[in-house]
Amino acid sequence: MPRDLDFSTDPARLDRALVHRWLSEHAYWALDRPRETQERAIDASLNFGVYDRATGAQLAYARVVTDGITFGWLCDVIVDPELRGEGLGVSLVEFVLATLDPMRLKRVLLITGDAHGLYERFGFAPVDRADDWLSRVGPNPVV
């Protein structure tokens, strides 16, 4: 039986402890991320939660770092590890993009080591002119 899902961008609804646990224990890009770092990232981002309408339990999370006008970086996309394979990631990305599309951002970027197929379904592709893009690791790369 499919779940009745509720989607929200309200940061007050987030189960911050749960999101931190998922990311710091199950996300290869955020393993051992300090809770304070996660809190600051949530506070500085546009947040997306997927919830079970019947129980209110949070099932998935993503955030976008954006100016709301020209650029967005989709990151920290994660589904409850016990619920993976149920299509929640697809539903989450659909919700994120439905929220971002009216902003008419010039570019939305993301980095993934293992979910290329998911994002390609939504039009993501390798960066054009990749040789033009540069990256700088900050002074505290652990954060």
Side-chain angles (χ1 to χ4, degrees):
M1 181 171 148
R3 292 179 187 271
D4 188 13
L5 302 176
D6 189 24
F7 299 87
S8 177
T9 59
D10 181 358
R13 287 192 65 186
L14 296 173
D15 183 336
R16 289 173 176 242
L18 179 64
V19 168
H20 176 257
R21 184 168 43 93
W22 287 343
L23 289 168
S24 67
E25 295 177 9
H26 300 283
Y28 64 86
W29 65 90
L31 293 175
D32 298 320
R33 179 182 287 171
R35 175 75 187 264
E36 178 186 354
T37 299
Q38 185 61 45
E39 292 291 333
R40 292 174 60 206
I42 287 171
D43 291 340
S45 301
L46 177 58
N47 297 277
F48 299 84
V50 180
Y51 305 88
D52 184 303
R53 193 177 303 274
T55 66
Q58 187 165 350
L59 309 176
Y61 172 77
R63 67 186 180 93
V64 175
V65 179
T66 184
D67 59 12
I69 305 297
T70 63
F71 178 82
W73 174 41
L74 175 58
C75 54
D76 287 346
V77 178
I78 193 157
V79 172
D80 182 330
E82 295 180 14
L83 303 176
R84 291 182 182 162
E86 294 185 16
L88 292 170
V90 172
S91 295
L92 175 57
V93 173
E94 285 174 344
F95 172 55
V96 169
L97 296 178
T99 303
L100 296 181
D101 284 349
M103 295 179 191
R104 301 181 65 197
L105 302 175
K106 179 177 181 177
R107 181 171 286 113
V108 176
L109 296 178
L110 61 82
I111 298 171
T112 184
D114 61 356
H116 294 79
L118 168 66
Y119 297 110
E120 288 169 351
R121 294 171 55 177
F122 294 98
F124 286 90
V127 175
D128 287 340
R129 297 173 33 203
D131 292 342
D132 294 347
W133 287 84
L134 301 174
S135 172
R136 177 178 181 260
V137 176
N140 187 3
V142 173
V143 176

